[in-house]
Amino acid sequence: MNNFSPTLATRLMLALAVLLSAFPLYWMLVIASRTNADAVSVPPPFLPGGNLGDNIVAVLNNEDAKFLLGLTNSFIVSSIVTVSVVIISTLAGFAFANLSFKGRNLLLVLVLLTMAVPLQQMGVVPLYRLMVSLEWTGTLKAVILPYLLNGFGVFLMTQYTRQAVPMELVEAARVDGAATLRIWWNVVLPAVRPGMAVLGINTFMLMWNDFMWPLIVLTPDNPTVQIAITSLNARFSTNYTLIFAGTALSIIPLIAVFVAFGRQIVGGLMEGAVKA
């Protein structure tokens, strides 16, 4: 009993957490590789089958779902919104954290208050009317515009910049003759790279998984990937194998983005540890 060290207990808990987290992904692959009869059988199958390739082909060839178009649209929307949110939030965070101007605290409070407003619930009707007046319904612009900036990103980058970029560093750069944008580009951006990566991952995942607003403002002929997955259902029944196969395809870009941005997070943390 004495050999059961805290390190071993921690490893066992982490292993259990990994198993619990990975099981839904494994179950998704099991159902995606089976027939629909296997998916609804009792007891359910726990090992992958041999129909994954056929199910993926059926998803891609489904004329009602337009799955490839949905993947493309979701990638375009998520990428544009992520780039916009990260850049604007980093600029605003630098301004709130390291620049002195009148009304700075008041503006930051107003930004925080926007986080208290549930946009999807309270803003859906005026937003939809705005898109109708702009004649943007059915286009990706209607999905992109409401999300180009969010209060959480500004707040996150403000707090991160305050910790990562000392005022002495900014003042030193200003003494050397650097302009404000030059300080942001050469001093602030390298220091806040891990925070930008976290914000980028979070924003991309939120936009990729967004369902309600695209369902309202887009048409079935121009869907995002989440709308395309729902279109895989048959008219009077649910085809679980196609839905799970489509879901498996839809998470591949998320994994790629997580790997790419995750390297930035680890690299930034390692640089900070070396400097410390």
Side-chain angles (χ1 to χ4, degrees):
M1 187 68 179
N2 294 331
N3 294 330
F4 193 79
S5 62
T7 303
L8 180 58
T10 301
R11 291 178 178 177
L12 290 176
M13 293 180 63
L14 289 175
L16 179 61
V18 170
L19 289 176
L20 292 176
S21 301
F23 181 75
L25 298 178
Y26 173 75
W27 180 251
M28 174 187 64
L29 292 176
V30 169
I31 300 302
S33 62
R34 292 279 186 163
T35 64
N36 203 47
D38 293 334
V40 298
S41 64
V42 179
F46 289 98
L47 295 176
N51 297 325
L52 180 60
D54 294 336
N55 291 334
I56 290 177
V57 171
V59 169
L60 298 179
N61 292 334
N62 192 299
E63 297 181 357
D64 295 329
K66 295 179 173 59
F67 195 81
L68 285 177
L69 178 61
L71 280 175
T72 304
N73 287 342
S74 287
F75 185 80
I76 293 173
V77 170
S78 301
S79 299
I80 293 176
V81 171
T82 299
V83 171
S84 173
V85 167
V86 170
I87 292 178
I88 295 177
S89 298
T90 307
L91 283 168
F94 168 54
F96 285 126
N98 297 117
L99 301 181
S100 298
F101 54 91
K102 291 184 178 180
R104 181 179 67 174
N105 294 333
L106 177 61
L107 287 175
L108 184 57
V109 170
L110 292 177
V111 170
L112 295 178
L113 288 177
T114 62
M115 298 171 58
V117 179
L119 179 64
Q120 294 248 348
Q121 288 75 25
M122 296 185 61
V124 61
V125 174
L127 273 177
Y128 183 76
R129 295 185 62 181
L130 175 62
M131 297 306 155
V132 171
S133 64
L134 293 174
E135 298 181 353
W136 283 5
T137 53
T139 65
L140 298 183
K141 294 181 291 185
V143 182
I144 295 172
L145 181 63
Y147 297 100
L148 290 177
L149 172 65
N150 65 65
F152 171 76
V154 174
F155 174 73
L156 173 65
M157 295 312 300
T158 298
Q159 297 301 110
Y160 195 92
T161 305
R162 283 176 177 170
Q163 297 179 1
V165 185
M167 281 298 300
E168 293 80 6
L169 192 60
V170 176
E171 293 299 331
R174 198 175 296 279
V175 169
D176 289 338
T180 301
L181 286 179
R182 185 65 178 270
I183 295 173
W184 174 75
W185 181 261
N186 291 102
V187 177
V188 176
L189 283 186
V192 301
R193 190 177 64 186
M196 295 172 63
V198 172
L199 180 60
I201 291 174
N202 182 70
T203 303
F204 192 94
M205 290 181 62
L206 287 176
M207 292 306 304
W208 188 269
N209 294 323
D210 191 22
F211 176 78
M212 178 179 173
W213 180 242
L215 178 65
I216 294 173
V217 79
L218 293 181
T219 62
D221 294 329
N222 193 31
T224 58
V225 67
Q226 304 302 330
I227 309 302
I229 290 175
T230 62
S231 301
L232 292 172
N233 273 324
R235 186 179 298 271
F236 299 108
S237 62
T238 301
N239 194 325
Y240 294 102
T241 57
L242 293 188
I243 293 176
F244 277 68
T247 303
L249 288 175
S250 71
I251 68 173
I252 294 176
L254 291 180
I255 295 174
V257 168
F258 182 81
V259 171
F261 282 87
R263 290 178 178 177
Q264 296 295 322
I265 296 174
V266 174
L269 293 177
M270 292 300 295
E271 288 180 5
V274 172
K275 292 179 181 178

